[in-house]
Amino acid sequence: MCAGCKKDSGCTEFGTDNYDPEAVIDDGSCIETRDKFLGNFQVSSDCIADDYARAIEVTSERYAVTISNLADTLGTVRADVFGANITIALQTLGTGITVEGAGVYVEENQISLSYRIRDSRSGTEVIQDCFELCTKL
């Protein structure tokens, strides 16, 4: 083994989970950051419903996913992922409902997610803060 020699092959794509700055030749082993967030999940929540299912799916954007069945009733939102973090930027769901939040990939099969729902359909804004633990099925 020689000192200062570069590793021949590995993942050369910056921004992937297994990027190897020492690799010179891409060997096709790159793992997209969002891949660990994808799948079907059982959700334990302190929000509107306490136990339900959801899917997190790929989008056409490299660092984005869709989260279905938010709060068991709110539909689908778009989220950005980078590293172990997931962010739901402020977005409107229907008339008078907005949501935003963030979370983290906790371990091999879990995501911790916190978000805020603002509902002004009644004319008065009602704020609900939600916490979920999503376990991959």
Side-chain angles (χ1 to χ4, degrees):
M1 179 180 242
C2 66
C5 292
K6 289 195 174 220
K7 181 178 173 183
D8 284 341
S9 64
C11 176
T12 61
E13 197 168 333
F14 181 77
T16 57
D17 274 356
N18 60 331
Y19 169 66
D20 183 353
E22 299 293 317
V24 177
I25 300 167
D26 191 275
D27 66 1
S29 67
C30 296
I31 300 169
E32 289 292 337
T33 297
R34 69 180 177 195
D35 287 358
K36 65 180 159 281
F37 289 96
L38 302 177
N40 294 310
F41 295 83
Q42 188 63 39
V43 179
S44 175
S45 175
D46 70 354
C47 201
I48 296 168
D50 62 354
D51 189 36
Y52 51 94
R54 98 146 28 100
I56 300 179
E57 299 176 327
V58 69
T59 69
S60 61
E61 299 171 59
R62 184 172 181 194
Y63 297 108
V65 295
T66 57
I67 302 173
S68 70
N69 205 23
L70 196 67
D72 197 32
T73 59
L74 293 179
T76 301
V77 297
R78 181 190 176 284
D80 296 309
V81 296
F82 192 76
N85 300 305
I86 186 166
T87 304
I88 302 169
L90 181 64
Q91 52 201 285
T92 302
L93 302 174
T95 303
I97 299 175
T98 62
V99 64
E100 64 184 319
V104 64
Y105 184 79
V106 180
E107 55 185 55
E108 194 63 31
N109 64 348
Q110 291 187 323
I111 300 168
S112 172
L113 190 62
S114 297
Y115 55 93
R116 173 169 279 179
I117 302 167
R118 294 177 186 266
D119 186 345
S120 59
R121 292 176 294 180
S122 67
T124 302
E125 184 175 72
V126 176
I127 297 173
Q128 182 153 9
D129 291 321
C130 301
F131 173 78
E132 297 178 345
L133 186 61
C134 309
T135 303
K136 194 175 278 193
L137 298 173

